[in-house]
Amino acid sequence: MAKSRQFNLLMVRDDGSRVVRLSVPGWVIGTMAGGLAITLVGLGVIYPDYASLRHQRSTFAALASRLHTQQSLLDAAQSRMREIRGEIDSWRDLHAKIWEPFGPEAGPARSGTGIGGGGAAGPTGTEDGRAPVKEDMDRLLGTVKEEGASIRSLERFLGRASRVLASLPSRWPVRGPVNSDFGERRSPWAPNSEFHSGIDIGAPVGTLVKAPAPGVVVFAGQHPEYGITLIIDHGNDTRSLYGHLSRLNVTVNQPVRRGDTVALTGNTGRSSGPHLHYEIQVKGQPVNPHSYIWEEPGPAVAKASGRR
C-alpha cells in the first residue's frame, strides 16, 4: 500500500536558534487548493451580479431623491390649486351677489358643477382621495373658462346698464341739513299729518342748485305750491323736481349735464323758510330720493326736523 504523500513546513527564528517542523498531509493541501479554486470561480461568477446590484442601488438612491423632490413639488402644486379653487369659489359668490338684484334670468346659465376637493378615492383617484394632477388641472381650467365667460357676460350687461346708471339722479343737488324727510309727517299748516313727496334740504337763499344727473328741462316756471319750480327729465321714466327756488338758470328743452348749476334756492311758494324741496318721480309717482342718492351725505347733510 502506497504511503500518503506529506508536505513539511519548516519555520526558523531569525536568530536560527530553533526550527519548527510542521507536517501537513497532501490531501489537506489538495482540498485547500480545490476550495480556493472553487471560491475564485464562484467569485468570478457572482462579482458581475454584485457590481450590477451596487450600480442599481446607487441609481435607486438617485431616483428616490428625485422622486422625493418631485413629490414635494406636486404637493406644492396641489396646495396652490386648492388656493386657486378657493379664490374662484369667491368669484362665484361675488358674481351671485352682483346678479341677484337683476333676477336669475339676467345672469349666465350655470352648469352647477363644482371643482371640488379631496374626498373618498374614486376610480380615478388615489388612495388619499386626491385626484390625479392632470384631471384636477383640466377641471380647474374648465372652471376658469366658465368664470371668464361669466365675467364677460357681466361686462356686457354692465355696459348696457351703465347708460341707465349714469342717468340716475345719484348726487345731492344742494348740501345742507334734511329738515323734513320723505313720507308721512306732521303738517306745518294743519294739526293732522300729511304725505311729503320729497325731502326738504335747508339752504340759505341763493345757494347753487346742481343737476344730480344729465337730462332735459321739461318745466321751468311757477307752481301753485312750490313757487318757482324746475323739473328735469333724466330718461327711463325718471324725473327730478326742485321747488321754492329764487331763480332759474335754465329753460324748457335745454339739456343739462351732471353738476351744472340749474337754479338758486329760495323761499317762494308755500314755504315756511329758505330751503329746497327735492323730489324724484318714477313713472309720475314720487319715490324716496335717498334710494337714488349714492353720494355720501357729508357733514353738512344731517337729518333734522322742522320747516317744509
Side-chain angles (χ1 to χ4, degrees):
M1 183 175 181
K3 187 177 180 180
S4 61
R5 182 178 298 180
Q6 290 189 347
F7 292 88
N8 296 318
L9 179 64
L10 298 178
M11 290 180 288
V12 183
R13 291 177 177 271
D14 290 339
D15 57 2
S17 60
R18 185 178 179 180
V19 176
V20 178
R21 181 179 179 178
L22 181 64
S23 295
V24 180
W27 65 269
V28 173
I29 297 299
T31 300
M32 292 178 61
L36 179 61
I38 293 173
T39 300
L40 291 175
V41 171
L43 289 176
V45 173
I46 294 173
Y47 182 78
D49 292 338
Y50 170 74
S52 176
L53 288 174
R54 287 195 60 182
H55 177 71
Q56 291 177 7
R57 181 179 178 182
S58 175
T59 303
F60 176 77
L63 290 175
S65 177
R66 290 179 59 185
L67 179 63
H68 178 72
T69 302
Q70 291 177 355
Q71 185 62 47
S72 299
L73 294 175
L74 178 62
D75 291 341
Q78 290 180 325
S79 177
R80 290 294 296 165
M81 281 191 288
R82 285 193 294 271
E83 293 178 7
I84 295 172
R85 285 198 296 267
E87 180 66 21
I88 293 176
D89 286 340
S90 71
W91 296 355
R92 288 182 164 182
D93 294 339
L94 180 60
H95 294 168
K97 290 179 181 178
I98 293 174
W99 284 113
E100 184 178 8
F102 304 104
E105 67 281 355
R110 290 286 186 175
S111 63
T113 58
I115 53 181
T124 59
T126 58
E127 292 182 358
D128 61 359
R130 293 180 298 182
V133 175
K134 183 179 184 304
E135 179 184 336
D136 212 5
M137 286 293 292
D138 290 343
R139 189 162 57 249
L140 185 61
L141 179 59
T143 305
V144 170
K145 289 182 178 179
E146 180 184 343
E147 293 305 308
S150 177
I151 291 175
R152 288 188 291 272
S153 177
L154 179 60
E155 180 185 23
R156 290 191 296 269
F157 179 81
L158 291 180
R160 296 191 299 268
S162 62
R163 293 187 293 271
V164 177
L165 296 175
S167 67
L168 295 179
S170 58
R171 293 186 180 179
W172 290 91
V174 167
R175 292 288 182 169
V178 178
N179 296 326
S180 184
D181 223 326
F182 177 85
E184 292 292 329
R185 69 170 184 178
R186 177 180 296 178
S187 173
W189 316 108
N192 57 328
S193 63
E194 66 176 5
F195 178 76
H196 189 217
S197 59
I199 60 175
D200 290 345
I201 306 173
V205 174
T207 302
L208 302 181
V209 178
K210 302 294 185 70
V216 177
V217 177
V218 294
F219 181 86
Q222 286 288 337
H223 187 279
E225 182 176 0
Y226 299 128
I228 300 177
T229 302
L230 173 68
I231 300 178
I232 300 175
D233 189 334
H234 303 286
N236 300 294
D237 296 320
T238 304
R239 294 184 173 188
S240 57
L241 181 149
Y242 314 82
H244 309 302
L245 303 172
S246 62
R247 193 180 78 185
L248 295 168
N249 286 22
V250 291
T251 58
V252 174
N253 296 326
Q254 179 178 338
V256 296
R257 297 171 301 177
R258 189 192 305 270
D260 285 351
T261 299
V262 293
L264 303 180
T265 59
N267 191 30
T268 60
R270 196 181 183 197
S271 172
S272 60
H275 70 282
L276 173 70
H277 173 84
Y278 178 55
E279 184 174 321
I280 294 179
Q281 301 172 354
V282 177
K283 295 183 178 180
Q285 298 299 318
V287 297
N288 192 340
H290 291 293
S291 301
Y292 283 78
I293 299 175
W294 300 346
E295 193 178 33
E296 291 295 329
V301 181
K303 185 178 290 188
S305 61
R307 67 175 59 93
R308 165 176 177 159

